[in-house]
Amino acid sequence: MQPLFHFAASNLVISAIYLARGNHESRSMNKIYGFEGEVRSKLSEKFVELFAEVFCCLPLAHVINQKVFVVHGGLFSVDGVKLSDIKAVDRFCEPPEEGLMCELLWSDPQPFPGRGPSKRGVGLSFGADVTRKFLQDNNLDLIVRSHEVKDEGYEIEHDGKLITIFSAPNYCDQMGNKGAYIRFEAPDLKPNIVTFSAVPHPDVKPMAYANNFLRMFQ
């Protein structure tokens, strides 16, 4: 059984960073979208393998103060999933195309109840009722996830029980969106959302190291 990281919010200076795995932390996504090519170009093949190994060690989710569930993608195709089920997932592998690990990395919220097919072709879409049931089953208050570009850098959905946060402003130098992050301060853990705009960066074209097939559409 692998650990689901639990950590506490406080008013102290942060002394550690907790990383979570996303859907792009996989060999297939790294190859298609350019990370593998950039690492190989700037470093070496050894580092390509090292990153792949590190990505397989990243936790799939976190819980802050036993109340806030943090994940990259979203929830599940079945009800009744407990934190203990997530802890039991063997994450030290490439993500499968179905099951709990896949859904944690790939799923998205939807504005209507129930579940539906994913616009991505992987994972699923889930409604506010699914969010509410998961929170109740696990005695949690809030879900924080990312995985989707938002114009203002964030969006609050599902009756305030789910926040999408996206920290990359002007995504791929094309979307014009703001970035955002959340600060949770003890003891009430009320989310304080901070937004910001993009700043100049080195002149590297978006997807410069991407798979040649993808560059055909730019």
Side-chain angles (χ1 to χ4, degrees):
M1 180 179 293
Q2 306 304 334
L4 180 71
F5 280 75
H6 292 249
F7 58 97
S10 74
N11 293 317
L12 300 177
V13 175
I14 299 300
S15 60
I17 296 175
Y18 297 83
L19 301 178
R21 194 171 191 174
N23 63 311
H24 277 244
E25 276 74 71
S26 72
R27 286 183 181 272
S28 60
M29 293 294 101
N30 292 166
K31 184 179 293 291
I32 293 171
Y33 288 99
F35 183 73
E36 178 183 303
E38 184 171 1
V39 171
R40 184 178 287 114
S41 173
K42 294 180 177 180
L43 298 171
S44 69
E45 184 67 33
K46 182 178 180 179
F47 280 90
V48 171
E49 294 303 313
L50 180 60
F51 273 112
E53 182 178 348
V54 169
F55 290 160
C56 287
C57 296
L58 293 176
L60 301 177
H62 301 283
V63 176
I64 304 175
N65 282 24
Q66 302 180 352
K67 290 300 180 184
V68 181
F69 183 73
V70 183
V71 68
H72 179 76
L75 297 181
F76 311 103
S77 55
V78 295
D79 287 330
V81 175
K82 300 293 185 66
L83 295 180
S84 57
D85 298 318
I86 300 172
K87 289 173 67 175
V89 173
D90 180 8
R91 71 179 189 269
F92 297 97
C93 63
E94 291 300 309
E97 295 186 1
E98 59 183 10
L100 297 187
M101 182 176 180
C102 172
E103 291 165 359
L104 284 163
L105 300 180
W106 283 94
S107 294
D108 296 289
Q110 64 184 21
F112 37 89
R115 296 176 172 89
S118 171
K119 60 189 176 185
R120 306 173 190 272
V122 185
L124 70 144
S125 296
F126 60 96
D129 54 330
V130 177
T131 293
R132 183 169 57 254
K133 182 71 163 58
F134 175 78
L135 293 175
Q136 290 173 348
D137 287 347
N138 292 282
N139 194 30
L140 298 166
D141 292 341
L142 178 69
I143 294 173
V144 175
R145 45 88 64 179
S146 48
H147 198 37
E148 293 180 282
V149 179
K150 298 296 181 181
D151 287 344
E152 294 301 314
Y154 73 97
E155 185 174 359
I156 301 173
E157 303 172 81
H158 292 184
D159 304 315
K161 295 297 184 179
L162 183 146
I163 301 176
T164 296
I165 197 86
F166 196 82
S167 61
N170 195 24
Y171 186 56
C172 291
D173 289 346
Q174 297 174 351
M175 302 301 293
N177 62 290
K178 292 181 180 178
Y181 63 90
I182 302 178
R183 292 185 63 184
F184 290 99
E185 295 186 2
D188 58 359
L189 295 190
K190 182 179 179 180
N192 177 21
I193 300 174
V194 180
T195 64
F196 54 92
S197 299
V199 298
H201 59 75
D203 186 19
V204 178
K205 292 183 179 180
M207 308 292 280
Y209 297 91
N211 181 282
N212 287 333
F213 176 76
L214 282 182
R215 288 206 296 266
M216 291 170 57
F217 297 94
Q218 292 201 347

